[in-house]
């Protein structure tokens, strides 16, 4: 019987993992060798951090594509379909391609000795799948978004040309070492001997910035400084940048891409081609506005922190002229207390999402409504008012975009391909 899901192989070991079992980089490394991917030659840009990695990777990819380079991008999680995790020049691979990748990875996995030491993670297998696509499509460059970590993530099996570091927060402390300093060491630890440049956004405090610099210095043998990007001095016109917190991440992605081109001896994209390409970037669920047939306007944002919620509120009030209702979906590992404080004067309905990795056990304000994500449909959304703000995790945002039938297959459109000088492999 043919499995109807093209992503089955990618999630099989994750779904079957035992309590307390952790991912196995050793087994992922073995798959890398069995598929002939060891020693890949494409220059690679890796994005690590706590927030905004997807936006950073998307804008870095668009910047590189504007220069005429074929770009394979791997991000996670998806919004609507697993195919979105692997893109070529901004477009998601098709289900048949993903299923074929799964077959090839499954064949390599069968060659591994049985081991109960750890599972192959979905994000790691999608990364390996992206490497296969890059080889088959003769990609010029890879852009990879790390998962929660960095050094313990499968991207650490590669030696990135450039590392982009978004804002690092004290999330997932249990999994990543117990302290913010340990989280920083984990994420910045992807820097390798072949890394040519590291660029980072300003961090929340001086101590975090200091640890980032120390880790990069240690990992690079004291040869690499950390370039701190100043979002208040943009090198791109404002109309080409997204609103809200995504603006700084977009600037980070473009700067990291420029550093990768410099490391490979390639020129930066011509101004008109860059402007035309960045103007096509569309990131649903990042302060994206959608109008229902009833006239209700729904602003959707994957905001899960106090800063993100405040930014979304400010943008919604500016864009919509006010807010009639807020839909909020924050599982137990997100900043519910911050959201409660920010939304104190607004009617709120809390949305729970049924998923094995999400828990919604914390108490909520007594005046809030509650609904399961499966109940959301255009009629329900229209009943909330004319101006609705929806905030929460990517899992929730993806459910909402599916209800709204928002396309998520293409995030940017590259210029017509032309002859170009290839980036120099390392």
């Amino acid at each position: 019987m043919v499995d109807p899901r093209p992503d089955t192989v990618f999630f099989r070991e994750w779904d079957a993992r035992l309590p307390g079992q952790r991912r196995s980089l050793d087994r992922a490394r073995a798959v890398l060798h069995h598929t002939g991917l060891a020693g890949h030659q494409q220059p690679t840009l890796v994005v690590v951090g706590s927030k905004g990695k997807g936006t950073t990777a998307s804008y870095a990819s668009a910047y590189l594509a504007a220069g005429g380079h074929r770009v394979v991008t791997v991000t996670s999680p998806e919004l609507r379909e697993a195919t979105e995790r692997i893109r070529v020049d901004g477009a998601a691979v098709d289900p048949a391609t993903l299923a074929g990748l799964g077959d090839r990875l499954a064949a390599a996995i069968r060659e591994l000795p049985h081991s109960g030491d750890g599972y192959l993670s979905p994000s790691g297998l999608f990364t390996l799948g992206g490497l296969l696509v890059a080889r088959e499509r003769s990609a010029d460059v890879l852009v990879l978004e790390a998962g929660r970590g960095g050094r313990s993530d499968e991207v650490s099996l590669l030696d990135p040309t450039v590392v982009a570091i978004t804002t690092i927060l004290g999330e997932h402390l249990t999994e990543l070492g117990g302290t913010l300093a340990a989280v920083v060491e984990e994420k910045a630890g992807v820097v390798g001997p072949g890394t040519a440049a590291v660029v980072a956004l300003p961090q929340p405090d001086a101590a975090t910035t200091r640890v980032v610099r120390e880790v990069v210095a240690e990992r690079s043998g004291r040869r690499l400084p950390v370039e701190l990007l100043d979002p208040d001095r943009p090198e791109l016109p404002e109309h080409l940048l997204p609103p809200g917190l995504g603006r700084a991440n977009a600037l980070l992605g473009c700067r990291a891409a420029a550093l990768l081109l410099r490391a490979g001896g390639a020129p930066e994209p011509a101004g008109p081609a860059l402007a035309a390409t960045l103007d096509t970037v569309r990131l649903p669920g990042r302060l994206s506005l959608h109008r229902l047939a009833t006239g209700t306007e729904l602003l959707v944002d994957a905001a899960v922190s106090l800063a993100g919620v405040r930014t979304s509120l400010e943008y919604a009030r500016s864009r919509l002229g006010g807010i009639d209702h807020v839909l909020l979906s924050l599982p137990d590992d997100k900043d519910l207390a911050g959201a409660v404080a920010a939304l104190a004067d607004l009617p709120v309905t809390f949305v729970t999402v049924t998923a094995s990795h999400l828990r919604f056990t914390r108490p909520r304000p007594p005046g809030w409504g509650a609904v399961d994500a499966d109940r959301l449909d255009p009629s329900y959304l229209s009943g909330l008012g004319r101006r609705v703000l929806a905030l929460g995790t990517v899992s929730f945002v993806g459910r909402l975009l599916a209800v709204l039938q928002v396309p998520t297959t293409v995030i940017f459109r590259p210029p017509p391909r032309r002859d170009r000088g290839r980036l120099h492999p390392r």
Side-chain angles (χ1 to χ4, degrees), residues 32 40 44 46 127 131 142 144 154-160 190:
L32 190 75
H40 84 287
T44 302
V46 169
T127 296
L131 295 179
L142 279 162
L144 306 177
E154 287 78 5
V155 296
S156 67
L157 300 177
L158 309 176
D159 188 7
V190 298

Side-chain angles (χ1 to χ4, degrees), residues 248-397:
N249 292 300
L251 288 169
L252 176 66
C254 291
R255 179 55 182 165
L259 291 172
L260 185 140
L261 292 176
R262 179 186 299 174
E268 295 184 11
L274 178 60
T277 304
L278 293 184
D279 194 47
T280 69
V281 176
R282 297 293 182 271
L283 300 179
R286 275 80 167 183
L287 288 176
S288 59
L289 184 61
H290 312 278
R291 181 184 291 271
L292 279 64
T294 58
T296 289
E297 290 185 299
L298 187 67
L299 186 69
V300 183
D301 193 30
V304 296
S305 66
L306 174 58
V309 171
R310 284 176 171 168
T311 299
S312 301
L313 288 170
E314 180 180 356
Y315 184 76
R317 286 171 172 140
S318 171
R319 186 74 186 267
L320 303 177
I323 301 169
D324 297 323
H325 206 95
V326 177
L327 288 172
L328 179 71
S329 183
L330 293 180
D332 289 351
D333 62 339
K334 302 303 180 185
D335 185 11
L336 179 59
V340 170
L343 301 173
D345 60 341
L346 291 167
V348 178
T349 296
F350 193 85
V351 184
T352 55
V353 178
T354 302
S356 62
H357 64 291
L358 298 177
R359 298 288 182 273
F360 298 89
T361 63
R362 292 175 296 181
R364 302 182 288 273
W368 285 12
V371 67
D372 188 88
D374 291 339
R375 285 192 54 203
L376 299 179
D377 59 26
S379 176
Y380 180 91
L381 297 172
S382 297
L384 298 176
R386 304 283 292 183
R387 302 165 300 180
V388 179
L389 175 63
L391 306 172
T393 62
V394 172
S395 297
F396 163 64
V397 166

